[in-house]
């Protein structure tokens, strides 16, 4: 099974991690949103909500979270749209730009994770090269698993970036057929050939699971979705969501849960239907959330989430890990023991976000450097 089928934390969970994710490197990750700022606040808001959902899932491990908001499918859909826009420039330049924005924050984070695992007895082999270029799942020991298991998202994102020039060319030959045929690989892996039980197999599962969402981003960028009949979009979306939900609930015995992160085929179809509706609504109704600017604090928060998306994704699991021993120390203070809900998972959630904010301030500047911008505490 793909890396996305790992258990929650419970980031947690896998990376959907809950299986995080990054999450598309900031800028073009943000292209200018409406008007003055040039950024698209609709997409920015979806990305911010996806990151919040990831942290929530990794804190509580709620199986139903992916049904309410399939974060990773949404993230890949948004990234596909931005990649299609960027590929209006030479593909080599675009890929180098994406790598430049993604890898330095990953290396910076990886330095601390790898160092900690070495101190705790990890003996790496040649696979340590994946900590330099994560084309395969970077290795690690059980002690650091909760931190590094989220990297399936970066690995999948990186492969999509590298394959996008070819994928976009194929998509434009026959947009609608290619879009819907992009669900075929996950069907083949699920019913015909499960792939090898190694890094390649994990990559194939994850790429197949989110291929439709990535290409859906192409369809949005090229205006294909705007030309589809509303009734057809609604029927196809509900059919995909219905099949994904039915498959998840009828295969609980196999996975031990109906959590979409543990059932790739269900994740693929549920995400496909859900993200199709979100993308079509954006294209058809030209939703831009420009009114968000009226709420300055909220608008500012959304902007920070997008500018620091990679930092939040990479460091959120470590923040949740550190929250536990930190709260353990609170029990030694009688006033804290009496007045604070130290045994509540919601308290862990709150402390986790405080620590995430600390990591954003302490480490977010790496994203600025990677993007060739002046380093700042907050963008």
């Amino acid at each position: 099974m793909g890396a996305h089928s790992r258990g929650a934390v419970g980031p947690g969970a896998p990376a959907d991690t809950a299986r995080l994710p990054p999450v598309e490197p900031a800028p073009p990750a943000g292209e200018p949103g409406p008007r003055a700022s040039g950024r698209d606040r609709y997409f920015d808001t979806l990305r911010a909500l996806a990151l919040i959902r990831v942290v929530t899932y990794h804190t509580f491990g709620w199986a139903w979270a992916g049904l309410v908001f399939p974060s990773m499918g949404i993230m890949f859909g948004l990234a596909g749209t931005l990649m299609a826009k960027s590929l209006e420039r030479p593909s080599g330049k675009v890929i180098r730009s994406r790598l430049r924005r993604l890898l330095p924050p990953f290396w910076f984070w990886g330095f601390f994770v790898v160092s900690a695992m070495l101190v705790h007895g990890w003996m790496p082999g040649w696979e340590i090269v994946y900590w330099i270029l994560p084309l395969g799942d970077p290795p690690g020991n059980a002690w650091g698993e909760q931190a590094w298991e989220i990297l399936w998202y970066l690995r999948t994102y990186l492969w999509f970036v590298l394959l996008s020039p070819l994928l976009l060319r194929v998509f434009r030959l026959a947009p609608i057929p290619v879009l819907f045929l992009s669900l075929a690989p996950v069907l083949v892996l699920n019913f015909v050939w499960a792939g090898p039980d190694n890094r390649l197999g994990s990559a194939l599962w994850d790429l197949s699971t989110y291929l439709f969402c990535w290409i859906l981003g192409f369809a949005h960028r090229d205006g294909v979705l705007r030309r589809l009949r509303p009734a057809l979009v609604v029927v196809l979306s509900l059919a995909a969501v219905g099949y994904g939900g039915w498959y998840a609930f009828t295969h609980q015995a196999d996975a031990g849960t109906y959590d979409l992160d543990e059932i790739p085929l269900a994740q693929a179809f549920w995400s496909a239907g859900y993200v199709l509706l979100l993308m079509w609504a954006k294209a058809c109704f030209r939703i831009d959330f420009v009114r968000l600017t009226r709420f300055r604090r909220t608008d500012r928060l959304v902007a920070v989430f997008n500018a620091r998306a990679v930092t939040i994704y990479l460091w959120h699991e470590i923040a949740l890990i550190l929250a536990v021993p930190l709260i353990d120390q609170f029990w030694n203070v009688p006033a804290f023991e009496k007045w604070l809900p130290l045994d509540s998972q919601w308290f862990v959630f709150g402390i986790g976000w405080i620590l995430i904010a600390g990591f954003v301030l302490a480490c977010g500047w790496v994203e600025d450097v990677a993007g060739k911008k002046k380093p700042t505490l907050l963008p």
Side-chain angles (χ1 to χ4, degrees), residues 49-96:
L49 291 174
L51 286 168
I52 292 171
R53 205 283 278 167
V54 165
V55 177
T56 303
Y57 173 76
H58 288 163
T59 303
F60 299 97
W62 291 328
W64 49 264
L67 297 172
V68 174
F69 199 76
S71 292
M72 305 320 291
I74 291 170
M75 294 295 293
F76 282 117
L78 300 181
T81 293
L82 294 170
M83 192 65 188
K85 176 177 174 59
S86 295
L87 284 172
E88 294 170 0
R89 297 178 285 136
S91 59
K93 184 176 181 180
V94 172
I95 291 174
R96 287 194 298 271

Side-chain angles (χ1 to χ4, degrees), residues 93-340:
K93 184 176 181 180
V94 172
I95 291 174
R96 287 194 298 271
S97 175
R98 285 292 192 276
L99 292 177
R100 189 191 69 240
R101 273 201 233 87
L102 178 67
L103 293 179
F106 166 65
W107 292 333
F108 182 79
W109 172 87
F111 172 79
F112 295 98
V113 174
V114 169
S115 297
M117 289 192 296
L118 290 173
V119 169
H120 286 81
W122 181 46
M123 291 294 292
W126 69 266
E127 296 93 344
I128 197 171
V129 298
Y130 292 120
W131 281 98
I132 300 174
L133 189 63
L135 291 174
D137 291 321
N141 59 8
W143 180 88
E145 183 174 3
Q146 188 171 326
W148 56 254
E149 67 179 351
I150 64 171
L151 294 178
W152 74 271
Y153 173 79
L154 269 68
R155 179 252 295 151
T156 305
Y157 172 82
L158 181 57
W159 273 111
F160 274 135
V161 166
L162 296 175
L163 293 172
S164 279
L166 175 60
L167 290 175
L168 186 58
R169 192 171 300 125
V170 172
F171 168 75
R172 286 174 173 168
L173 294 175
I176 298 299
V178 170
L179 176 62
F180 289 103
L181 283 174
S182 63
L183 285 168
V186 74
L187 289 168
V188 171
L189 287 174
N190 199 79
F191 296 113
V192 180
W193 176 65
D197 186 19
N198 54 23
R199 283 183 172 81
L200 175 60
S202 294
L204 289 175
W205 272 101
D206 292 330
L207 286 167
S208 299
T209 299
Y210 296 103
L211 179 61
F212 179 93
C213 293
W214 188 271
I215 292 182
L216 187 63
F218 295 170
H220 173 269
R221 175 63 191 173
D222 283 8
V224 174
L225 299 183
R226 198 180 307 122
R227 300 194 293 269
L228 296 178
R229 295 181 179 180
L232 177 62
V233 172
V234 172
V235 169
L236 291 176
S237 295
L238 293 179
V241 166
Y243 179 68
W246 170 83
Y247 193 88
F249 282 96
T250 57
H251 288 75
Q252 292 185 67
D254 299 332
T257 177
Y258 61 86
D259 189 335
L260 297 180
D261 290 338
E262 305 298 328
I263 311 172
L265 184 67
Q267 177 75 274
F269 276 85
W270 185 276
S271 295
Y274 200 112
V275 181
L276 175 58
L277 275 180
L278 289 177
M279 290 284 194
W280 174 80
K282 164 67 176 174
C284 228
F285 302 112
R286 301 181 184 279
I287 304 171
D288 58 14
F289 280 10
V290 71
R291 292 183 180 180
L292 184 65
T293 57
R294 298 179 182 179
F295 307 94
R296 292 186 179 181
R297 292 181 180 178
T298 302
D299 190 44
R300 173 66 172 151
L301 188 62
V302 169
V304 170
F305 264 79
N306 280 267
R308 294 292 184 258
V310 176
T311 299
I312 293 171
Y313 184 78
L314 286 173
W315 291 92
H316 82 274
E317 270 289 23
I318 293 179
L320 293 175
I321 293 169
L322 294 177
V324 175
L326 178 60
I327 293 173
D328 286 343
Q329 297 303 311
F330 289 2
W331 288 95
N332 297 323
V333 181
F336 288 172
E337 182 179 1
K338 180 177 181 179
W339 298 109
L340 296 179

